[in-house]
Amino acid sequence: MNFVNCYEDVSRAGAYSTLEFANTYYLAYRDLPAILAEHVTGTTALDFGCGTGRSTRFLRKLGFNVTGVDISEDMLRIARATDPSGDYRLVPGDNFSELPAGAFDLVLSAFTFDNIPGAMKASIFRGLRTLLAPQGTIVSIVSSPEIYTHEWASFTTKDFPENAKARSGDVVRIIVTDHQDPRPVEDIVCTPESYRAIYREAGLEVARMLKPLAKGDEPYAWVNETSIAPWVIYVLKRTP
Ligand SMILES: C[S@@+](CC[C@H](N)C(=O)[O-])C[C@H]1O[C@@H](n2cnc3c(N)ncnc32)[C@H](O)[C@@H]1O
């Protein structure tokens, strides 16, 4: 598949760096403090696909000692400038030999796997598994297939009716309306069934799966968020 990571782009990186935790993104991060308190022991964390550092700074504020890694230097440059005391590193994408094996209590990937083609997903999760401390946890936040076929506070997909025909592994398009870059992002849609097969293949088991919905009393102009979950959050442990 000829898939290009759209985050290797200076103006996309600049636009992405303005996103915080509002609107639809609020639902991706809202439950993380409780999830981490329940499932993670220890404070050493890897933020896999840290982008411009939003997810890394979130973990740092919760008290984690975080290494942020990404394949996009354009994204990392902004992460470092925004958070000069943070640890942000460029990685090849599927080779973790520069990172310490068995060292991380938590590996977070927030939206990273939306941009990784299907064939590479299992081998990357297998690599992340080797980085986990013995009781370590992976928290994988991904887009639900429904995000690509509905309208949202932070996104529009109405210009891409072909998304409805996409099968797991296909490229889909979505526009982020919360920032200034109107170009569509190209993602790879992946169903929960496919993710479960990928986790199994990578030697990981799903300890918990959440589909966060808005309650309706938040200060955001929800579109479908009170009835359809835009994200899926997986809590993963090594298969015994
Ligand atoms: C949508 S951004 C999310 C950034 C951040 N986690 C956040 O919540 O704001 C996804 C990031 O994953 C990165 N990425 C994609 N494939 C990757 C890979 N194989 N290894 C590391 N990073 C990757 C992209 O470059 C991009 O910066």
Side-chain angles (χ1 to χ4, degrees), residues 58-177:
F58 186 89
L59 290 179
R60 270 159 70 73
K61 281 193 186 130
L62 291 177
F64 285 92
N65 179 18
V66 192
T67 303
V69 296
D70 205 283
I71 51 170
S72 166
E73 187 58 50
D74 292 322
M75 298 290 268
L76 286 167
R77 197 176 302 116
I78 296 176
R80 293 187 191 110
T82 310
D83 180 16
S85 65
D87 176 8
Y88 296 97
R89 305 184 197 176
L90 188 68
V91 289
D94 54 356
N95 176 345
F96 303 119
S97 56
E98 301 280 299
L99 295 166
F104 295 99
D105 303 307
L106 167 67
V107 173
L108 173 70
S109 67
F111 322 118
T112 311
F113 282 88
D114 294 345
N115 306 116
I116 294 177
M120 291 171 65
K121 280 187 170 82
S123 69
I124 291 179
F125 271 113
R126 209 174 301 118
L128 294 176
R129 182 184 187 278
T130 68
L131 303 179
L132 284 180
Q135 302 306 320
T137 305
I138 297 179
V139 174
S140 166
I141 307 174
V142 296
S143 293
S144 70
E146 292 76 21
I147 201 171
Y148 301 108
T149 53
H150 293 82
E151 295 299 291
W152 308 95
S154 298
F155 307 97
T156 178
T157 63
K158 64 177 167 14
D159 291 343
F160 312 110
E162 65 278 11
N163 285 356
K165 293 203 187 89
R167 298 222 293 246
S168 209
D170 288 347
V171 174
V172 281
R173 290 174 186 80
I174 184 165
I175 291 174
V176 181
T177 51

Side-chain angles (χ1 to χ4, degrees), residues 6 13 46 54 66 68 106 127 153 163-165 179 222 233:
C6 63
L46 179 74
R54 169 176 53 171
V66 192
L106 167 67
N163 285 356
K165 293 203 187 89
H179 68 36
W222 298 128
I233 304 175

Side-chain angles (χ1 to χ4, degrees), residues 24 27 151-154 212-214 221-230:
T24 314
L27 295 174
E151 295 299 291
W152 308 95
S154 298
L213 286 176
W222 298 128
V223 186
N224 279 297
E225 287 87 342
T226 55
S227 56
I228 305 172

